[in-house]
Amino acid sequence: MDHAGTGVPPLTAPTVDLHLHSTASDGSLPPADVVRQVAAAGIAAMALTDHDTTAGVAEALAEGERVGVRVVSGCEFSVAAPWGEMHLLGYFLPLRDPTLDEFLVRCRDGRVVRARKIVAALQEAGVTIDFPEVEAEAAGGAIGRPHVARVLVRRGAAESLDDAFNRYLGRGRIGYQPKVLPSLREVARLVHEAGGLVSAAHLRDRATRSTLSGLKAHGLDAVETRHPSHSPELRDRIAATAAGLGLLTTGGSDWHGGNGSDHPQSQPGSEAVPLAWLESMDLRRQELVAR
Ligand code: AMP
Ligand code: MN
Ligand code: MN
Ligand code: MN
């Protein structure tokens, strides 16, 4: 198909990927490698959104400059929700903000305490695993269940990451330990004061009008509509609800570099998120900072 009969091939609209992980948390590739994969997929901009850390962002920014990909500083927080736990994507986060940094250090310390409890519970159940091995797997990044899962697979206690979650690490299993969760209000305030915006990640069928309107009252700016766990019907429904409530929309692949994800089919850019969505976020953020 040509463009308006001119014989010129149509330009595909630029896309972005606003949900990506690296070795700074439970992804399997270093930040610079993630950026290179994003560049290779022809994506204009990306956000690095590691769990409870912005430690990978500086490296991603430097590589983004080198290969011509705009990198947005992000983070995936875990917060309390009416149903338990909710993930909250923070965007446009400053890299050196004492209040935010102190908060994130506390989150990561909480992850270490939890990982120790997980390992102790598994040992109690007779599984051969020890904390130093899990700690080494995390290699200084924010530690989480995927690191435990990788060790379980390596030790032959599970066949795959998914199997490790089903057998040991998922809710209700022997190695399950809840996170100590801050409130949405608290994290939204922290992010807003730092000049950023927050989007509710992968809500799936919890993204009803009443739930989203409640979350908005607690500071939510946007909702992730495009995500590998959302069907096309669901993402369209969430987008319509978001528009009615004045919430912005975000989306991304939640790619973990091929290891550490429950969405093995996702790839950088696989959610084809329009650049215009990021531009709307830019505008909203400028309004917030101007206030
Ligand atoms: P945590 O932050 O320690 O609660 O671990 C949650 C992370 O585990 C998610 O961010 C995913 O990356 C990963 N995850 C969750 N479920 C699965 C699964 N079934 N298989 C593989 N990875 C998973
Ligand atoms: Mn993860
Ligand atoms: Mn998540
Ligand atoms: Mn994620």
Side-chain angles (χ1 to χ4, degrees):
M1 201 176 73
D2 64 12
H3 189 62
T6 58
V8 178
L11 290 170
T12 45
T15 62
V16 302
D17 192 328
L18 303 178
H19 192 161
L20 290 157
H21 294 271
S22 76
T23 47
S25 66
D26 58 5
S28 54
L29 294 178
D33 290 29
V34 175
V35 176
R36 279 194 286 275
Q37 296 286 324
V38 163
I43 299 158
M46 60 163 273
L48 189 69
T49 54
D50 275 302
H51 301 279
D52 294 335
T53 187
T54 55
V57 173
E59 179 183 318
L61 279 167
E63 189 63 17
E65 239 164 69
R66 222 179 56 78
V67 299
V69 169
R70 177 182 168 194
V71 172
V72 172
S73 170
C75 176
E76 185 171 9
F77 300 89
S78 301
V79 300
W83 56 88
E85 178 176 341
M86 182 180 114
H87 288 180
L88 190 70
L89 297 161
Y91 294 111
F92 313 115
L93 303 177
L95 293 189
R96 267 174 302 273
D97 180 281
T99 316
L100 183 60
D101 290 348
E102 195 190 297
F103 175 83
L104 289 173
V105 166
R106 265 189 281 132
C107 292
R108 294 196 297 274
D109 287 349
R111 283 180 166 275
V112 173
V113 172
R114 172 171 168 257
R116 284 187 187 278
K117 284 189 193 165
I118 291 174
V119 168
L122 292 173
Q123 285 171 338
E124 189 75 22
V127 180
T128 314
I129 186 167
D130 56 32
F131 183 72
E133 194 175 350
V134 175
E135 196 179 29
E137 186 64 40
I143 199 164
R145 287 180 288 168
H147 303 110
V148 182
R150 289 181 213 164
V151 173
L152 289 170
V153 171
R154 197 184 311 124
R155 292 215 166 228
E159 281 168 19
S160 62
L161 297 178
D162 203 38
D163 186 42
F165 274 81
N166 286 332
R167 254 186 231 236
Y168 300 110
L169 302 170
R171 190 177 286 267
R173 303 288 182 255
I174 196 89
Y176 182 77
Q177 288 288 331
K179 278 187 196 130
V180 178
L181 298 168
S183 69
L184 165 59
R185 238 183 235 286
E186 178 184 0
V187 178
R189 193 190 319 120
L190 197 64
V191 170
H192 290 155
E193 275 170 10
L197 297 176
V198 289
S199 179
H202 48 68
L203 286 174
R204 294 183 281 191
D205 49 13
R206 300 205 196 267
T208 60
R209 189 183 159 85
S210 71
T211 294
L212 287 176
S213 124
L215 298 176
K216 192 185 175 199
H218 287 202
L220 194 71
D221 303 292
V223 55
E224 187 174 57
T225 61
R226 297 196 180 198
H227 183 271
S229 67
H230 292 177
S231 68
E233 295 72 32
L234 179 61
R235 77 181 196 209
D236 291 350
R237 192 167 79 226
I238 304 175
T241 310
L245 290 168
L247 288 165
L248 295 172
T249 52
T250 68
S253 64
D254 206 0
W255 190 57
H256 283 67
N259 201 351
S261 163
D262 34 353
H263 314 291
Q265 77 288 3
S266 82
Q267 286 296 320
S270 54
E271 294 301 312
V273 176
L275 174 61
W277 293 15
L278 176 58
E279 291 168 345
S280 297
M281 295 278 282
D282 282 329
L283 282 176
R284 179 71 63 90
R285 180 224 181 178
Q286 281 157 21
E287 290 163 14
L288 177 86
V289 174
R291 269 211 302 275

